[in-house]
Structure formats: C-alpha cells, structure tokens
Amino acid sequence: MIYDLIIIGSGPAGVSAAIYAARQKLNLLVISKDMGGQVAKKAVDIENYPGFDKISGPNLIKIFEAQLQTNKVEVVFDEVLKVEKPFDSAQGAPIFKVATALGDNYEALTVVVTTGGDPRPLKAEGEKEFIGKGVSYCALCDGPIFRDKTVAVVGGGNSGFETALFLSNYVKKIYILEYGNKVKADEENQKIIANNNKTEIITSAKVLKIEGDTLVKSLTYEDMAANQQKTIEVEGVFVEIGYSPATAFIKDMVDFSERDEIITDLETYSTRTSGLFAAGDCNKGKYKQIVTAAGEGAKAALAAYDYLLKIKK
Ligand SMILES: Cc1cc2nc3c(=O)[nH]c(=O)nc-3n(C[C@H](O)[C@H](O)[C@H](O)COP(=O)(O)OP(=O)(O)OC[C@H]3O[C@@H](n4cnc5c(N)ncnc54)[C@H](O)[C@@H]3O)c2cc1C
C-alpha cells in the first residue's frame, strides 16, 4: 500500500502532524522509535505548555497518545534507517521508500520528518543521577525553578552565554564553565555577559563530577591550566555543550545547518526534496520547545496535504 503520508517520530511535532493529517482524512502512518520523544523522558513538570499549569512529561504524552487513538492514527514502533525517493515504474512517478531497522519497507507520497534530537550530555559522574534534581538541559524550561540560587552553565559558546543571560533574570550567581582556554561565544554575547555582574567565567574547566544528596549541591572540575581539582557550590547545572539532531537517515535529501539540523522553508516546512517536510527540534531553529515543535508539526502536515492535492490533480 502507498500511504499519503508517513510521519517519522512521535514527539510533540510528530503527534501534532498526525492529528492534523488525520483530520484532513489522509491515509497516514507514524513510524517512531518510541511514544513521546524527549517529553516522555522529562524528569520535572512542564509549566509552559498552554492548557496546563503544570503537567508531568509522561502524563502529557498519555494525553497525546489518547488523541492519536481517537483520530485512529496507525503507529508502528520501529527505527527508520533510510528514506529514498526513487522513480517507481509501476506508479510512473517517484515514490518515497522508507526502510526500517526491523527490515520493513513502507511507501508514501509524502513524508514529514519529526525526529527531534538530544542535548549532548557531559558524561560527568553524577550527571545522569541528578537529572531533574538540579541538572538540566533546558534553561527555558527549568530556569525559573532556580530563583535566587547559584548555578553553573557548562559550555562557553553562544548557547551557554545566552543561557546564562536568560538565567540571570532569576538566579543569584552563575558560573560559566568552558573546556577550552577561551570562550567561544561571539563578541556581542561576551560584551553583554561582561556587563552582567552575576556571571563568572571559568575557562580550561573539565567537569568531573556533580554531587549532592537529594538535590545538586556542588560541581567539581579539573582546572587544566593549574592542574588542580576545584569544587564550586551550585544548586543547578545547565548543560549547553551542543545538540545532536537525529537526521542522518535523510542525509542525501535535505540541506543541513552547521549543526546537522534540517533547513526548511519557514512557511511550509518543505525541504529541497519535493514532498519531504520536516518539523520540530530536528529543524534549524533557536527556540526548541514543545509548543513550537507542535506548531511546526501542524504546519508541515497541512503543507503536505496541500502538496498532495496538487500532485493528485
Ligand atoms: C530535559 C528536557 C526538558 C525539557 N523541558 C521542556 C519544557 O518544560 N517545556 C518545553 O516546552 N520544552 C521542554 N523541552 C524541549 C522539548 O522536549 C522539545 O523541544 C520537544 O520534545 C521537541 O519535540 P519534537 O517532536 O521535535 O522532537 P522529540 O521530542 O525529540 O521527538 C522525536 C521523536 O522522533 C523519534 N525518532 C528519532 N529518530 C528516529 C528514527 N530514525 N526513526 C523513528 N523515530 C525516530 C524519537 O523516538 C521521538 O519519538 C525539554 C527538553 C529536555 C531535553
């Protein structure tokens, strides 16, 4: 069977795309490694998604999943390994072929990629243990919890500096820790932070461990310039050392940013391959949030619908 649309991923972008596509009566399939993406793994409550003052990630995903069922969306749990669009002689037109890890092959007229990605972890001792207990990968989401506290931002690039600037609205003091012997943020960001009296920059810092009891209490790093171990007392650690979009499986079909994010048209979320759309955190974009991912998913699905109307004519 040739689907109208295959959606890859079932985080907020994929779920939203699926709801919109189902309501347009598209014959669609969702293929995803899991249900819920990053939200399902979130350790602390979500407080910035409209409709809920506070909701846990797993509970929000249960609601998303129920809405997929109400809309009778078919979901297959599998990993997509490759997407191609060869000419199909039986159809007399190119058709998307989607190959998965379980060895299945699916066909579709359009594809929406919503595979998100993951923040790069530090791989320091205690990091995993304290996720949601002081360790965060999302200042926009968790920053307000750290009001009047001392925190560390790990990463001295633009993301780290912008995170520090955002946190300075709430926290008492911020250490920015940079692995290299100088920070990598651009001059403008450096100037802004230099005028921010809450921030202290520590370079040549290799984070070794994060410690605490029920919550984070301190961070120990190696001062590589002085060849010494040092400990700072912090109640929060924000990790800003990069993000890995899950986009390798479409590498020949789309354009990428320098961070391997998919570049799309900002109105239709179309890529350079006609019929292939992308939405959410896998896309180039600064504000990676549940609500923005869901919005992009809806727009990509509607754009896929418009595209189908044109090609079916
Ligand atoms: C710790 C943390 C806390 C956060 N807190 C908040 C918050 O409070 N509020 C907020 O708005 N945002 C928060 N965010 C950000 C938010 O979770 C993301 O912006 C959002 O989940 C992005 O949605 P998405 O659908 O684009 O991608 P994702 O949620 O990453 O979903 C991607 C989906 O694609 C699937 N997938 C990936 N590769 C493949 C493949 N090859 N084949 C099949 N399936 C695949 C994954 O399994 C997953 O289902 C947080 C993020 C983190 C990491």
Side-chain angles (χ1 to χ4, degrees):
M1 130 142 66
I2 301 175
Y3 289 95
D4 287 330
L5 169 63
I6 289 179
I7 296 166
I8 308 173
S10 71
V15 169
S16 170
I19 292 166
Y20 273 78
R23 290 170 62 82
Q24 299 292 355
K25 305 265 181 288
L26 296 188
N27 168 22
L28 84 131
L29 173 71
V30 174
I31 307 174
S32 185
K33 287 198 289 187
D34 62 17
M35 177 53 65
Q38 293 171 63
V39 178
K41 297 174 208 146
K42 197 171 149 51
V44 292
D45 284 344
I46 295 155
E47 298 183 4
N48 57 3
Y49 189 69
F52 302 94
D53 283 338
K54 210 180 233 220
I55 185 163
S56 75
N59 281 343
L60 182 60
I61 292 309
K62 271 189 205 148
I63 297 170
F64 282 4
E65 198 173 0
Q67 208 170 355
L68 288 184
Q69 282 163 7
T70 309
N71 283 284
K72 299 191 171 46
V73 174
E74 182 185 355
V75 181
V76 164
F77 290 105
D78 200 347
E79 179 179 0
V80 170
L81 298 182
K82 200 164 183 66
V83 177
E84 289 172 305
K85 195 187 177 193
F87 186 80
D88 185 308
S89 46
Q91 299 302 320
I95 301 282
F96 286 101
K97 314 269 176 191
V98 178
T100 70
L102 294 177
D104 289 316
N105 290 287
Y106 299 91
E107 294 183 331
L109 299 175
T110 59
V111 170
V112 175
V113 175
T114 68
T115 44
D118 289 305
R120 269 182 57 207
L122 275 171
K123 297 191 181 147
E125 197 183 318
E127 178 187 12
K128 261 195 186 165
E129 185 188 336
F130 286 107
I131 290 176
K133 298 171 188 162
V135 172
S136 170
Y137 302 87
C138 182
L140 217 51
C141 320
D142 302 332
I145 303 167
F146 294 85
R147 194 174 289 278
D148 297 326
K149 299 192 189 309
T150 298
V151 300
V153 172
V154 184
N158 282 327
S159 302
F161 272 55
E162 285 166 21
T163 294
L165 190 62
F166 172 74
L167 289 171
S168 67
N169 293 317
Y170 305 99
V171 304
K172 187 168 67 186
K173 180 172 172 73
I174 307 161
Y175 295 100
I176 299 179
L177 285 96
E178 161 60 35
Y179 186 88
N181 59 7
K182 54 178 189 252
V183 295
K184 297 184 193 83
D186 61 33
E187 271 187 33
E188 192 52 35
N189 275 328
Q190 289 193 43
K191 260 193 228 155
I192 297 170
I193 287 295
N195 290 326
N196 182 309
N197 57 13
K198 288 186 179 176
T199 311
E200 181 178 333
I201 296 170
I202 304 174
T203 53
S204 303
K206 179 181 178 186
V207 177
L208 299 175
K209 59 183 169 190
I210 298 163
E211 290 175 296
D213 39 43
T214 52
L215 298 171
V216 166
K217 290 250 161 75
S218 67
L219 176 153
T220 300
Y221 65 95
E222 182 187 340
D223 178 340
M224 293 182 288
N227 210 7
Q228 260 178 13
Q229 276 195 19
K230 294 182 178 168
T231 297
I232 47 177
E233 284 182 16
V234 291
E235 288 167 273
V237 178
F238 289 86
V239 181
E240 288 292 341
I241 58 167
Y243 179 83
S244 314
T247 52
F249 66 96
I250 40 159
K251 72 176 167 34
D252 301 326
M253 309 189 78
V254 301
D255 294 321
F256 288 111
S257 72
E258 66 286 356
R259 295 177 183 172
D260 293 335
E261 302 159 304
I262 301 167
I263 296 176
T264 65
D265 174 85
L266 292 180
E267 197 177 322
T268 60
Y269 294 90
S270 54
T271 65
R272 76 164 149 81
T273 300
S274 59
L276 179 63
F277 302 81
D281 278 19
C282 59
N283 279 1
K284 181 168 190 249
K286 200 167 164 189
Y287 307 111
K288 295 188 190 297
Q289 291 284 278
I290 301 168
V291 72
T292 54
E296 288 188 16
K299 290 190 206 176
L302 292 173
Y305 174 74
D306 285 346
Y307 172 88
L308 283 163
L309 286 184
K310 273 188 211 143
I311 61 163
K312 283 186 177 176
K313 253 187 208 166

